[in-house]
Amino acid sequence: MNPLSLADHGPVIPVIVLQRVADAVPLAEALLAGGVKVLEVTLRTPVALACMEAIARSVPDAILGAGTVRSATDAQAARDAGCAFAVSPGYTAALGAACKQLQLPLLPGVATASELMTAQADGYDFLKFFPASAAGGIPLLKALAGPFPDVAFCPTGGLTPDNAGQYLALPNVRVCGGSWLSPQDAMASGDWARITRLARETASLRS
Ligand code: 3PG
């Protein structure tokens, strides 16, 4: 899979932090019901891998990825759990090489021109821009478009329904990521209808 194809399914990739395995499938189904099928489940909780396995098994229409992939070990675990792609908050040559060996498409995180050049030298030219708002937001993405017209971004970190449209309007932004589609309180209370509504609302973000 070409990582750029992740942008073909909608303007927002939800960044998901699951606390309970029991929430994984209902959450994925709620997001898919709202038209969001690319899902990034982060490796930030002890249940994350079990959640990925549950989604991979029970929600075959989801395009499931692992987020917060920081090492070759994480990449292997994500692949074994059924993930079709990986997202990392930063980039190391070791992680890039491990994902290539696993044939696991990687969206590596960068926040500076030097990090971008390191990832691009290893063949990665579709990059997560993280933490987007803290690292410089829209002005930094506009500045990077000058020297790096051949690089595309998925900004995440600090995006909201109110500012995501402005990011998506940039020519070098293909898709964006955010945690607002899977609020912890909605998952805790099983308010899957709210999550479907939030997912559905993302469709209008890309003009
Ligand atoms: C992350 O990796 O934490 C994502 O960038 C999500 O950030 P957000 O919670 O600000 O959407």
Side-chain angles (χ1 to χ4, degrees):
M1 184 225 288
N2 178 342
L4 260 181
S5 71
L6 296 172
D8 294 345
H9 303 278
V12 184
I13 298 175
V15 177
I16 299 163
V17 180
L18 281 156
Q19 310 291 350
R20 302 183 297 208
V21 178
D23 293 339
V25 169
L27 172 75
E29 287 174 340
L31 289 166
L32 264 71
V36 171
K37 67 189 294 191
V38 179
L39 314 179
E40 176 190 333
V41 175
T42 58
L43 287 170
R44 293 187 200 175
T45 59
V47 296
L49 289 168
C51 290
M52 292 167 187
E53 285 167 11
I55 294 170
R57 195 169 46 240
S58 303
V59 193
D61 288 344
I63 300 171
L64 176 65
T68 321
V69 172
R70 304 190 311 180
S71 65
T73 307
D74 288 347
Q76 178 76 59
R79 161 63 95 207
D80 292 347
C83 288
F85 68 96
V87 184
S88 59
Y91 182 73
T92 67
L95 179 60
C99 287
K100 276 184 197 157
Q101 196 179 355
L102 290 167
Q103 297 190 318
L104 185 65
L106 173 68
L107 189 56
V110 303
T112 68
S114 295
E115 293 161 10
L116 180 161
M117 288 167 66
T118 303
Q120 196 181 26
D122 288 351
Y124 293 100
D125 51 16
F126 178 40
L127 308 173
K128 167 172 159 133
F129 173 50
F130 174 81
S133 66
I138 288 170
L140 184 50
L141 284 167
K142 283 185 177 168
L144 290 172
F148 305 109
D150 48 347
V151 173
F153 295 97
C154 168
T156 81
L159 271 68
T160 67
D162 290 333
N163 65 16
Q166 293 159 45
Y167 278 92
L168 288 161
L170 300 174
N172 56 351
V173 170
R174 294 287 182 280
V175 64
C176 67
S179 61
W180 81 86
L181 297 188
S182 49
Q184 292 297 324
D185 60 333
M187 289 194 280
S189 64
D191 190 352
W192 309 118
R194 180 176 157 210
I195 288 171
T196 296
R197 214 163 41 242
L198 288 166
R200 200 169 280 136
E201 285 166 5
T202 62
S204 60
L205 284 173
R206 189 148 53 195
S207 45

